[in-house]
Amino acid sequence: MSEELKKWRDTRLNSISKSFCAAKWYNASLHLGHGFTNSCHLPLPHPIDLKELKDNPSALHNTKHKKEMRKMMLTGVRPAECSYCWKIEDIGRDNISDRVYKSNIYTDKEIADLKDSDYNQDILLKTVEVSFDRTCNFACSYCNAGYSTTWGKDITENGPYQKFKSFSSGAYQSDGSWSEQFSKNGLDNPYVVAFLEWWPELTKTLQEIRITGGEPAQSFNFWNFIELMKKHPSKNLRFAVNSNLGVNERLLNKLIDATYQLEIKQFDLYTSNESLGLHAEYIRDGLKYDEWRSNMVKFIEKANPKIFRSLTIMMTVNSLSLVSIVEFLEDIKILKIKYGHNRPNVDLNILRWPAFMSPLVLPDNIKKELHAKLKKWYNENKNSPLFNIHELAQFERLLDYIEVVNRGHRGTESDRDVLFHDFKSFYMQYDKRRGKDFKTTFPELAEWYETLKVDNSIPNRPVFNGEISHFETGEYVPDTKNDKL
């Protein structure tokens, strides 16, 4: 781990408390399509209270639940919902968890000001991620209908996925209709309306906004928001868009044009991928690898050079992506060499939900082999100027995670036989519905895959139309207990 990051963590965060993270105050993910929020993408989202929202648009962010989490962090208690970070820190190799990355974007003063703050205080956001709706042309295997209309179409046409033993499969029983209570234009959505009303005030303090989805470029609400942004110049604002870059030429050009039309400080583009070629197309259904790469290059070359700062590839590291992650990183190196170290950056997140897609689900012999392959690549590239300190720290974290961690995060299944069962059950159905072939695509895993059995005596489940908590199942239950994990 970088000594610089370690020193920053100890002097800025741990000096307040060893569970402190500034994201609980200054950052939010707002799921406006269905009225949920979380402090970052790692804890499960929780509902926004419409009663509070009526007189206070900042209640989109300053919920009672978040205030309780702030209280815990100020007193050194680990919120259980932040188990991803605690799992990383508890590996025992002084790893950098995401609370560091999500806090060190703020100034020392901004962090120090929180030390003696009232946890009940309404805080103005400095960074925010916003999803207006679930409109999306992809149906990635690790996503679900609550975040993709294409996933919803799968469930509507083919019914829920069946024959699971673990509870983390619940998202694949829902058609996502619960998350689409309002019209496509969002004019009847109280969460969208509150956010648009709050925007003029937000522009005074906001440092960065990232729009995600679904696929923003396909959303009416996104382009409506772009028009609002044009009316409120924000010369200190960094504007970022998460796009799968699988959109048509017209929409891609429209996104490029926006980099010339907005009066902002900087523009960042985020996209997603974590494996090469056919592997990527299998994992991220709807993606065409060559088209995705070509669109990425076009944006790099055509976006407004005065404000376009960087392009980042968000890598959701799952069991299948490990097979070609090294080859993928080699392809990214080609782009870095041509366009610069930050075009693109890579940002690694280790998949937790559903548990049967986690890197931990692979059998030990395959996991060991893939770990050795990645470690060899890391050792060959760790001194390269093409990769920044955060990228290197994330590679180290992933290597340690694969090697050391055997049990999933809080709430996930620990019985690997259960996970093996659900892995096979899901991909058998996924292949049939999506016209794919697991064994042909991943010959490296075919022999192991063949040994897995599915229990056909498990009763079928009906479509579940209730709320799905993010990437797991069931009902949202706030957990404010001191969970030692």
Side-chain angles (χ1 to χ4, degrees), residues 174-238:
S174 170
D175 63 5
S177 57
W178 64 270
S179 66
E180 206 166 70
Q181 307 166 42
F182 310 102
S183 62
K184 294 287 185 184
N185 63 23
L187 299 180
D188 60 340
N189 182 330
Y191 307 105
V192 171
V193 170
F195 178 75
L196 297 180
E197 288 178 355
W198 195 22
W199 182 248
E201 181 184 8
L202 274 180
T203 58
K204 298 173 184 176
T205 60
L206 200 63
Q207 298 168 1
E208 179 174 350
I209 180 170
R210 186 194 296 189
I211 307 297
T212 185
E215 168 51 46
Q218 291 199 321
S219 167
F220 171 90
N221 291 298
F222 169 71
W223 296 113
N224 188 38
F225 177 62
I226 292 292
E227 293 304 311
L228 179 64
M229 287 187 68
K230 291 178 183 178
K231 297 175 184 177
H232 297 276
S234 310
K235 296 186 178 179
N236 294 316
L237 181 69
R238 296 188 303 273

Side-chain angles (χ1 to χ4, degrees), residues 262-293:
L262 298 175
E263 292 187 55
I264 54 176
K265 180 181 179 180
Q266 291 170 327
F267 188 105
D268 293 324
L269 182 67
Y270 289 78
T271 188
S272 299
N273 210 342
E274 53 281 318
S275 53
L276 189 74
L278 293 177
H279 291 172
E281 293 174 5
Y282 184 96
I283 295 166
R284 309 192 72 242
D285 190 37
L287 178 139
K288 297 176 181 176
Y289 189 88
D290 291 342
E291 178 184 73
W292 170 79
R293 195 182 189 281

Side-chain angles (χ1 to χ4, degrees), residues 360-383:
L360 302 180
V361 80
L362 292 173
D364 292 339
N365 63 316
I366 293 177
K367 194 165 59 168
K368 185 176 180 180
E369 180 182 329
L370 295 175
H371 177 273
K373 180 181 173 183
L374 180 58
K375 187 170 185 178
K376 180 177 182 293
W377 178 89
Y378 171 74
N379 288 334
E380 292 170 351
N381 289 274
K382 63 183 179 182
N383 295 318

Side-chain angles (χ1 to χ4, degrees), residues 415-482:
D415 186 339
R416 293 184 78 190
D417 287 337
V418 168
L419 300 180
F420 288 164
H421 173 277
D422 287 2
F423 181 98
K424 179 69 173 281
S425 182
F426 174 84
Y427 285 114
M428 283 177 63
Q429 296 172 76
Y430 184 74
D431 280 358
K432 186 175 181 179
R433 293 170 184 234
R434 309 292 178 83
K436 299 182 184 295
D437 189 316
F438 182 96
K439 291 185 290 184
T440 300
T441 309
F442 298 96
E444 305 89 341
L445 304 178
E447 185 177 348
W448 165 67
Y449 184 77
E450 275 292 286
T451 67
L452 305 179
K453 305 297 181 185
V454 174
D455 182 359
N456 289 312
S457 68
I458 299 172
N460 286 342
R461 302 180 189 181
V463 172
F464 175 67
N465 291 318
E467 295 176 354
I468 301 293
S469 285
H470 201 40
F471 286 110
E472 47 175 351
T473 174
E475 171 182 352
Y476 174 74
V477 182
D479 187 344
T480 57
K481 296 183 296 183
N482 180 11

